[in-house]
Amino acid sequence: MEAYAVIETGGKQYRVQQGDVLDVELLANDEGASVEFDALAVSNGSELTIGTPVVSGAKVKVSVVENLRGKKIFSFKKKRRKGYRRKIGHRQELTKIKVEEISA
């Protein structure tokens, strides 16, 4: 089993391994920038260390690949027999990141 870590960003938690590429909520960093996250949990492949709330000294270094917009999502409201209809669209701002290093 390979080493992994659990990080939190944008109110969500992600389980990441070295080399993973994932889309997270928009970060205020430019493309190519390096960002460090505190690890909530770290595994070296054989044992798991869980933090309270973070593991002391454990960091996950990621690089920003690009800032993008997600798929368009539609929300539709209707009240029957009243002639009330509302169609609302939303596109989430995302940041694509690549995990470079997990240090415990």
Side-chain angles (χ1 to χ4, degrees):
M1 187 160 176
E2 196 171 328
Y4 67 89
V6 177
I7 60 171
E8 181 179 13
T9 179
K12 298 176 185 73
Q13 294 180 1
Y14 300 93
R15 180 187 183 273
V16 296
Q17 292 179 330
Q18 189 167 349
D20 282 356
V21 177
L22 60 144
D23 295 335
V24 298
E25 298 286 325
L26 184 67
L27 300 174
N29 296 90
D30 295 329
E31 296 177 10
S34 181
V35 182
E36 278 194 354
F37 292 108
D38 293 324
L40 303 176
V42 176
S43 172
N44 60 6
S46 60
E47 66 179 53
L48 177 67
T49 306
I50 299 174
T52 54
V54 295
V55 178
S56 61
K59 298 282 184 186
V60 177
K61 186 176 180 183
V62 302
S63 62
V64 175
V65 177
E66 68 173 317
N67 292 319
L68 60 126
R69 297 182 78 193
K71 182 181 170 188
K72 190 153 196 174
I73 298 171
F74 294 103
S75 174
F76 187 76
K77 299 179 182 180
K78 180 182 181 195
K79 294 186 180 174
R80 65 184 193 155
R81 299 188 303 268
K82 304 297 180 198
Y84 174 81
R85 295 189 305 240
R86 295 291 179 266
K87 184 177 178 184
I88 302 166
H90 174 75
R91 286 185 73 182
Q92 186 66 41
E93 300 282 341
L94 301 171
T95 299
K96 185 177 293 246
I97 60 173
K98 181 176 182 185
V99 179
E100 300 292 337
E101 178 185 0
I102 298 173
S103 61

